[in-house]
Amino acid sequence: MKARIKWVENVSFLGESGTGHTVLMDGPEDHGGRNIGMRPMETLLIGMGGCASFDVVSILKKSRQQVTDCVAEIEAERADEVPSVFTKIHLHFKVTGTNLKEAQVKRAVELSAEKYCSASIMLGKAGVEITHDYEVIEG
C-alpha cells in the first residue's frame, strides 16, 4: 500500500491514495489554515470508522441479513499534551434492516472489533481504549 501527500499551501495538504483517490487536509485558521479540508486526525478517525463499518456490513450480508443502512457514530478523546494522541474512541453502530437478528448484529460488531478491523485493532494495540455498541432499527 502506498500514499502520497502533497503540500498545497500554508498548512493545506492533498493526500492521494495508491488507488488514485484524494482527500484535502487543512488546519484551523489559528494555525495558518483556511479550514478548507479535514484535519489529519479526523481522517484517521474516519478511516477507522470506515474500516469497521465495511466489516460490519460485509459480515451481516454474508450471514444473509437484510441490511438497508449502517451508520457508525464515533466519539473520540485526545490527550491534552503533545502529541495529542487518541486516548478513547467509542463506535456506536446504528444498523437498519428488515428482520435483522440482534445476535447477528452483535456478532458482526464483535468480529470487526476483535478480528477484522485492522485500523481499530492497530489503534487498540497502541493503547487507545476502544469501545463499541450498537442498536438495531427495523426499516
Side-chain angles (χ1 to χ4, degrees):
M1 186 175 286
K2 293 183 177 186
R4 180 175 181 263
I5 311 302
K6 167 95 173 88
W7 177 45
V8 178
E9 65 179 354
N10 301 326
V11 294
S12 296
F13 297 86
L14 188 63
E16 182 178 349
S17 68
T19 56
H21 301 281
T22 59
V23 62
L24 180 64
M25 295 174 282
D26 193 23
E29 292 173 0
D30 64 347
H31 283 80
R34 294 188 301 148
N35 197 28
I36 59 172
M38 285 189 275
R39 309 293 185 266
M41 290 297 282
E42 289 175 327
T43 62
L44 182 62
L45 196 61
I46 287 170
M48 187 195 97
C51 183
S53 297
F54 180 96
D55 293 337
V56 169
V57 170
S58 296
I59 292 165
L60 289 171
K61 285 186 171 279
K62 285 178 185 169
S63 62
R64 296 189 173 96
Q65 295 297 295
Q66 296 177 20
V67 181
T68 57
D69 195 24
C70 179
V71 176
E73 296 177 343
I74 306 170
E75 291 188 29
E77 294 179 18
R78 293 176 67 182
D80 291 330
E81 67 278 351
V82 174
S84 49
V85 298
F86 289 119
T87 55
K88 294 180 182 180
I89 299 173
H90 179 73
L91 290 91
H92 176 73
F93 291 94
K94 292 183 173 181
V95 183
T96 304
T98 305
N99 298 318
L100 290 175
K101 294 181 181 158
E102 184 174 351
Q104 292 288 349
V105 174
K106 181 178 190 252
R107 178 179 169 271
V109 171
E110 288 173 350
L111 282 171
S112 174
E114 298 167 8
K115 185 174 182 180
Y116 292 114
C117 181
S118 305
S120 62
I121 291 168
M122 177 180 64
L123 288 169
K125 287 184 177 183
V128 181
E129 179 187 325
I130 300 176
T131 55
H132 303 76
D133 66 9
Y134 63 89
E135 63 184 280
V136 178
I137 301 166
E138 183 66 27

